[in-house]
Amino acid sequence: MSEPGKQETTQHVSHGSFPAPKLPYRPRDPRAYRPGIGLVGCGGITFEHLSAYRGAGYNVVALCDLDPKRAKKRREEFYPKAKIYRDHEELIADAKVEVVDVTTHPPQRPPILEAAIRARKHVLSQKPYTTDLDDGERLANLADEHRVKLAVNQNGRWAPHFSYLRHAVAEGLIGELTSAHFSVHWDHNWVAGTPFDDVRHLILYDFAIHWFDMLMCLVGKRHVHRVSASFRRSKTQAAKPALLGQAIVDLDGAQASLVFDGDTHFAPLDQAYVTGSLGTIHSVGNDLKSQTLTLTTARGSTQPELVGKWFPDGFHGTMAELLCAIEEDREPTNSARNNLASLALCFAAVESAERGRPVVPGTVRKLPEEAVD
């Protein structure tokens, strides 16, 4: 567990022609704020949530699930003193709960988020926090009205390589961004026979939202003109939804591409290649947890020794940022309002794949129903 309030950076060890810049890519815990956290929904992904929270020393006081057995299982695994609820409204009403972590499926989230906000509880929502941009803006405004923080669990932002990458770009280490290219080649056929097997846009919607979000973190306020996307079934895949997807993004003075090959059975590869006027960052590995990142500038090349893994550090990072924002009375960097641009790009890509034409982000206000059914 990191010392509260202390920001971990890279280790002193690095390889290359110059020392790797030390950047604050590790999750930063609040200095003193340790509120009671209530978890709504105790499905499979919450193993990562609770692993991260326990490792960080966070205080989970309540667990809620429509199936009490699942909540009790998580209590036994992680927080033996936590109260068990079947009704989320009862958890929200618990005076010991100050922060509500909502991990239910997207259709069930909005009313839970709204109930927590109206009860003046701070909220962390699993991604995507909404499938309707107008409703997303309404919830963000509602949180402002009730003076609470609404953040989104875009945990990929705190994967060590992605976190170092976004900090490096934000600090101008590679100058003016000119391109960003992401490619993921892996086997996603594990979804066959699971509820995910019924999600039509499993790749561009459920999976690629992390990469759309990372791209928007890198480009900041730069205007996105259009996105062109496609999806296709592989002839050899076992899963029902198309496991091949790609998108080309046209930006002011830059371009980006995202390629997802979810039916790769041998030699998996995951990489990000980001170029700028002063340098290039290339991160590559055989999976998303094991990455080697290289920064190249006029000084030469360097490779920081990155600490941590996407799981569970990404889940630590999202909650840590929310808690720090509450303690420091500011907007979280992973706020719901900040996340709207990423959702707009994702929704536009799905629409483009369905219609076979370029789409301007923001013009598609709702995620097409066929994307999740």
Side-chain angles (χ1 to χ4, degrees):
M1 183 180 75
S2 61
E3 180 183 339
K6 183 178 180 180
Q7 173 63 61
E8 294 183 38
T9 55
T10 57
Q11 293 179 335
H12 292 294
V13 178
S14 62
H15 306 285
S17 54
F18 65 97
K22 292 183 179 180
L23 299 174
Y25 72 91
R26 294 284 289 155
R28 179 173 68 89
D29 291 320
R31 293 187 177 280
Y33 184 56
R34 290 295 186 276
I37 298 172
L39 181 70
V40 178
C42 294
I45 194 62
T46 61
F47 183 90
E48 303 297 342
H49 289 241
L50 295 174
S51 294
Y53 301 166
R54 184 175 63 182
Y58 295 164
N59 183 28
V60 176
V61 298
L63 301 166
C64 176
D65 199 281
L66 292 175
D67 181 355
K69 291 181 180 178
R70 296 204 302 183
K72 290 176 181 177
K73 183 175 185 294
R74 290 292 183 245
R75 178 174 66 180
E76 293 171 1
E77 290 172 325
F78 296 101
Y79 288 93
K81 295 182 180 180
K83 291 190 68 173
I84 299 296
Y85 293 101
R86 191 175 184 277
D87 186 337
H88 70 268
E89 292 185 355
E90 293 182 1
L91 179 144
I92 291 171
D94 189 332
K96 292 183 179 180
V97 174
E98 296 179 52
V99 175
V100 181
D101 186 7
V102 182
T103 71
T104 60
H105 292 295
Q108 289 80 46
R109 280 180 207 147
I112 300 174
L113 300 179
E114 181 165 351
I117 291 169
R118 291 190 180 279
R120 297 188 183 278
K121 309 282 179 157
H122 303 288
V123 184
L124 178 66
S125 171
Q126 184 57 274
K127 57 82 188 170
Y129 85 98
T130 182
T131 55
D132 182 324
L133 295 181
D134 292 331
D135 198 42
E137 290 181 356
R138 182 185 66 83
L139 288 170
N141 291 335
L142 188 67
D144 289 344
E145 291 171 14
H146 287 77
R147 300 193 177 191
V148 295
K149 313 298 183 186
L150 173 58
V152 182
N153 197 332
Q154 286 288 175
N155 46 78
R157 296 189 187 190
W158 279 271
H161 65 295
F162 277 159
S163 187
Y164 191 94
L165 170 59
R166 64 187 175 89
H167 279 287
V169 171
E171 299 224 359
L173 297 187
I174 63 169
E176 190 74 20
L177 184 77
T178 55
S179 68
H181 301 287
F182 302 98
S183 62
V184 191
H185 316 270
W186 82 114
D187 188 357
H188 210 61
N189 283 288
W190 66 269
V191 302
T194 74
F196 290 106
D197 213 18
D198 295 320
V199 179
R200 176 174 170 80
H201 281 282
L202 179 68
I203 299 302
L204 288 178
Y205 157 64
D206 183 75
F207 187 78
I209 183 60
H210 290 293
W211 283 263
F212 287 126
D213 183 67
M214 180 53 51
L215 176 60
M216 294 312 297
C217 286
L218 299 182
V219 304
K221 296 181 179 180
R222 188 175 296 192
H223 181 64
V224 181
H225 291 281
R226 63 189 67 83
V227 58
S228 301
S230 65
F231 71 132
R232 189 79 56 195
R233 280 182 54 83
S234 161
K235 290 185 177 181
T236 62
Q237 67 177 74
K240 288 194 297 184
L243 294 185
L244 307 179
Q246 57 188 339
I248 300 293
V249 184
D250 182 15
L251 304 143
D252 265 349
Q255 64 178 3
S257 65
L258 305 91
V259 176
F260 304 97
D261 295 330
D263 191 36
T264 301
H265 299 275
F266 303 97
L269 178 69
D270 305 279
Q271 64 178 339
Y273 190 82
V274 180
T275 66
S277 58
L278 299 178
T280 293
I281 297 175
H282 183 209
S283 186
V284 63
N286 59 8
D287 59 43
L288 294 168
K289 296 180 181 180
S290 303
Q291 290 278 312
T292 298
L293 185 146
T294 304
L295 167 65
T296 302
T297 69
R299 298 175 65 188
S301 296
T302 187
Q303 294 180 340
E305 289 282 354
L306 298 178
V307 177
K309 302 286 185 182
W310 186 332
F311 286 32
D313 292 328
F315 297 85
H316 178 187
T318 55
M319 179 60 81
E321 172 59 15
L322 171 59
L323 299 186
C324 284
I326 297 169
E327 184 178 59
E328 298 161 9
D329 192 23
R330 59 171 174 81
E331 182 175 349
T333 59
N334 57 331
S335 70
R337 197 178 304 282
N338 171 271
N339 195 227
L340 286 171
S342 302
L343 295 181
L345 179 58
C346 177
F347 296 177
V350 171
E351 178 77 2
S352 174
E354 282 290 333
R355 309 305 172 208
R357 57 176 175 78
V359 174
V360 177
T363 60
V364 179
R365 304 304 294 174
K366 290 185 180 182
L367 183 71
E369 291 184 5
E370 58 265 33
V372 293
D373 297 322

